[in-house]
Amino acid sequence: MKKVLVDLTIREVEQLNATCVLLLMTAESPLPAVLPGQFAELRIDGTPTVMLRRPISIHSFSPEKNEIGFLVQLVGDGTRWLGNLKAGDKVNTLLPLGNGFTLPTDKNANLLLVGGGVGSAPLYYLAEELKRGGYNFTLLIGARSAKDLYRRDAYEALGRVEYTTEDGTLGQKGYVTNHTVLGEKFTQIYTCGPKPMMLSVAKYARENNVPCEVSLENKMACGLGACLCCVEDTKEGHKCVCTDGPVFSIDELKW
Amino acid sequence: MVKTDVKIGGLNLKNPVLTASGTFGYGIEFADFVDLNKLGGFIVKGTTLNHREGNPYPRSAETPMGMLNAVGLQNKGVDYFASNIYPQLKDFDTNVIVNVSGACIEDYVACAEKVAALDKIPAIELNISCPNVKQGGMAFGVQAASAAEVVSAVRKAYPKTLIVKLSPNVTDITEIARAVEGAGADSVSLINTLLGMAIDSEKRRPLLSTITGGMSGPAVKPIALRMVWQVAKAVKIPVVGIGGITTGSDAVEFLLAGASAIEVGTANFMNPAVTGEIVDYIEDYLVRHKMNSIDELIGALEV
């Protein structure tokens, strides 16, 4: 897929909770096609401690509105700069990057999407595409507490959503891997979230013989497979998360 | 039309803009952003005789206006390069240069011989300065005698243009530059990364798996510029300037300091289109300053 370097203009900034914002952006010309699970590298301007672009997963994408959404967790100087942007501001962006999730070929597939906290961001666009394709899917989202879950109405508008919270403030109390929905029969799992959660999901998938794709995250520089900084140690040696991933089948990983 | 071409040994560059090894992959990763044929050339990823997995993750850490890396020369080896990558590169209308690294003199020589057999590769850049592998070249590059020894062995085996990439992690870089010039190098390129370190104070752990790594980016530019200026005065062979070049005016500064060509490195991560922009800037600079040829710019620093 052809990658572009484009100045995106912020249409809307929505503060979702204390540490998370949704940035909806557009471009003067039509945005390139984007696959669920791909990401972008956003340039951070005017912040002396930040030189490198920040890799951010694509949360939503609408060719009709020519709009792309990024869900940004405010963790450091770079993401805080993004969080302070206002409508009309511009962000130089490199996209689309990475491989994306593999969509099922079987229309009767029963799919499970497991997200943890802000890590569930790319699953929203995946769910949008699955809904558009008429697939049967369940979203299972886990968080520490109900207040850490964002855009619940938007997720619920796409289909069936189940929740777990560690403090029991929403859905079933505990971790995603303890949820009773896992007693159902699924044919494919997609997951993104904190690594311990993804490891547990991968274990469940192996034990139940269900194919599973995970979206990894690590420190990146170029985003283009050139610098070889963002490697994951796979069964076939070091692979770049930015170009060989960020989505990997668990069969490729040493998990 | 201003004259922007420069000569490095037997190598003719249409302009002085090259890319630094390890920051530009095999060039093709950047083809969506830069017309590769517009560049003076590009220097591909450090290549060794045998496959190398490189160092464990984490391999990079951002630092103020710079970064550390400890990739450790991950590559699939020169034979893989020759059969799988070279066919994709050989038809570009620019100079594709291979950065050659090794753990011992025999490996450097064997790797250089294999690259010499590739018709469309007119030059190698000999990496005697990688700080990220235990026997990774830097051991050769920090002593004049060992630097001369490896260069002289490769010189005998490699008939085309031989550029030697120098380490800044030395007491006197001009001494090493003169030693490799004496051993038959056609050119020296400098600087490779500066040995550095970063710590996560909360976790009380180093940020790199290897503890120390190579520092690059805009923060190193003043050091690189000073070393290029010193080396350009100390040797007769052309100097290729590297270190924190991020804008066209950075590139012009290195040319003024005496570099005949420059390599753009870490800036490719900040702006993948930057190399093409630097080519345009230099041409525009020559016009603005009423120079007919880039030769009027090289070493033209007024002191």
Side-chain angles (χ1 to χ4, degrees):
Chain A
M1 292 174 77
K2 189 175 161 60
K3 304 173 189 83
V4 298
L5 199 55
V6 61
D7 281 330
L8 298 180
T9 306
I10 308 244
R11 240 181 212 167
E12 198 183 323
V13 183
E14 190 185 338
Q15 187 85 36
L16 298 171
N17 59 33
T19 59
C20 195
V21 296
L22 171 67
L23 302 175
L24 294 175
M25 315 218 226
T26 187
E28 278 173 21
S29 44
L31 289 164
V34 167
L35 303 172
Q38 288 190 303
F39 67 101
E41 285 242 63
L42 278 58
R43 193 179 73 199
I44 310 298
D45 295 330
T47 303
T49 52
V50 181
M51 178 188 75
L52 298 171
R53 289 168 181 266
R54 290 296 182 260
I56 311 280
S57 65
I58 292 163
H59 174 64
S60 63
F61 181 69
S62 163
E64 298 80 26
K65 291 197 267 180
N66 201 38
E67 185 178 273
I68 187 161
F70 297 99
L71 214 135
V72 182
Q73 190 170 25
L74 312 177
V75 289
D77 292 348
T79 47
R80 274 195 290 271
W81 180 83
L82 288 170
N84 285 328
L85 294 171
K86 304 280 177 286
D89 288 345
K90 288 193 177 347
V91 184
N92 186 265
T93 304
L94 178 58
L95 83 166
L97 303 175
N99 58 356
F101 293 105
T102 316
L103 295 187
T105 45
D106 177 7
K107 287 278 174 191
N108 297 315
N110 190 26
L111 312 167
L112 178 66
L113 283 60
V114 187
V118 76
S120 51
L123 300 181
Y124 181 80
Y125 178 40
L126 175 62
E128 281 189 311
E129 284 298 286
L130 292 173
K131 188 186 182 195
R132 221 188 306 271
Y135 292 99
N136 185 25
F137 65 91
T138 302
L139 267 157
L140 172 59
I141 304 176
R144 281 212 181 87
S145 181
K147 66 175 168 37
D148 301 319
L149 288 158
Y150 52 84
R151 303 201 75 208
R152 275 165 49 200
D153 293 348
Y155 279 94
E156 285 163 18
L158 296 175
R160 179 188 180 197
V161 186
E162 302 287 347
Y163 297 102
T164 60
T165 49
E166 288 171 39
D167 63 1
T169 45
L170 185 78
Q172 296 182 9
K173 185 174 177 176
Y175 296 112
V176 285
T177 36
N178 307 126
H179 198 284
T180 51
V181 74
L182 296 185
E184 297 174 21
K185 179 81 191 138
F186 293 99
T187 53
Q188 168 78 47
I189 298 172
Y190 305 98
T191 185
C192 186
K195 193 164 177 184
M197 184 210 83
M198 291 198 291
L199 285 167
S200 311
V201 173
K203 185 164 173 274
Y204 163 86
R206 275 225 175 80
E207 285 167 2
N208 291 275
N209 216 8
V210 186
C212 178
E213 287 190 342
V214 300
S215 176
L216 303 186
E217 164 185 66
N218 67 14
K219 271 194 246 176
M220 288 183 187
C222 70
L224 300 168
C227 69
L228 310 185
C229 288
C230 66
V231 290
E232 169 74 15
D233 192 17
T234 71
K235 287 176 184 166
E236 290 178 13
H238 283 136
K239 287 197 166 185
C240 286
V241 169
C242 69
T243 45
D244 295 310
V247 177
F248 290 89
S249 158
I250 56 169
D251 298 334
E252 297 173 79
L253 302 176
K254 288 181 170 174
W255 289 18
Chain B
M1 198 56 193
V2 290
K3 180 184 169 302
T4 57
D5 59 299
V6 295
K7 213 165 147 57
I8 304 286
L11 198 60
N12 292 303
L13 307 180
K14 63 183 82 163
N15 61 60
V17 180
L18 303 168
T19 62
S21 172
T23 66
F24 206 64
Y26 293 105
I28 35 193
E29 293 88 339
F30 287 78
D32 285 342
F33 312 104
V34 187
D35 173 6
L36 298 173
N37 295 331
K38 182 176 170 172
L39 304 178
F42 55 92
I43 303 181
V44 303
K45 177 74 195 150
T47 302
T48 49
L49 182 60
N50 300 309
H51 170 103
R52 287 184 54 91
E53 266 305 306
N55 292 320
Y57 180 86
R59 294 174 166 188
S60 67
E62 192 171 18
T63 58
M65 278 293 115
M67 65 181 287
L68 293 162
N69 91 80
V71 171
L73 297 174
Q74 179 181 326
N75 79 102
K76 291 184 172 165
V78 67
D79 291 334
Y80 181 90
F81 173 81
S83 44
N84 295 279
I85 313 283
Y86 174 67
Q88 301 176 60
L89 304 181
K90 66 181 179 50
D91 296 326
F92 281 111
D93 176 28
T94 187
N95 294 290
V96 182
I97 299 168
V98 176
N99 179 283
V100 169
S101 224
C104 61
I105 291 182
E106 293 72 27
D107 286 4
Y108 274 107
V109 170
C111 188
E113 278 174 342
K114 284 173 185 275
V115 178
L118 305 173
D119 281 351
K120 299 288 178 65
I121 306 288
I124 59 171
E125 180 180 59
L126 200 68
N127 182 0
I128 59 165
S129 45
C130 176
N132 288 327
V133 293
K134 286 193 183 76
Q135 299 166 296
M138 196 171 96
F140 289 103
V142 294
Q143 303 281 347
S146 53
E149 195 185 351
V150 65
V151 170
S152 140
V154 172
R155 178 73 290 174
K156 287 190 192 90
Y158 187 78
K160 299 188 239 179
T161 299
L162 173 60
I163 304 166
V164 180
K165 188 169 185 178
L166 303 182
S167 172
N169 303 304
V170 294
T171 311
D172 180 3
I173 198 167
T174 63
E175 186 197 344
I176 315 284
R178 278 192 296 261
V180 305
E181 179 182 38
D186 295 308
S187 167
V188 284
S189 59
L190 61 137
I191 58 174
N192 204 325
T193 53
L194 288 143
L195 196 58
M197 183 169 170
I199 292 174
D200 182 329
S201 60
E202 291 301 319
K203 294 181 181 157
R204 304 180 204 171
R205 305 266 307 166
L207 283 169
L208 297 175
S209 67
T210 49
I211 306 174
T212 61
M215 188 182 167
S216 63
V220 311
K221 196 191 86 176
I223 301 169
L225 200 54
R226 181 265 293 179
M227 290 190 169
V228 164
W229 180 67
Q230 290 177 322
V231 169
K233 288 191 300 179
V235 297
K236 293 188 180 65
I237 52 177
V239 174
V240 180
I242 324 165
I245 297 172
T246 307
T247 64
S249 80
D250 290 343
V252 169
E253 290 174 36
F254 277 81
L255 298 171
L256 287 168
S260 296
I262 56 100
E263 296 178 18
V264 181
T266 303
N268 290 304
F269 307 157
M270 300 148 75
N271 173 10
V274 71
T275 44
E277 294 169 12
I278 291 176
V279 170
D280 292 339
Y281 182 95
I282 292 173
E283 210 171 300
D284 180 60
Y285 180 95
L286 295 172
V287 172
R288 275 196 294 121
H289 288 265
K290 304 193 168 36
M291 294 180 180
N292 297 316
S293 162
I294 195 150
D295 299 333
E296 296 170 53
L297 185 59
I298 295 167
L301 183 73
E302 294 171 25
V303 288

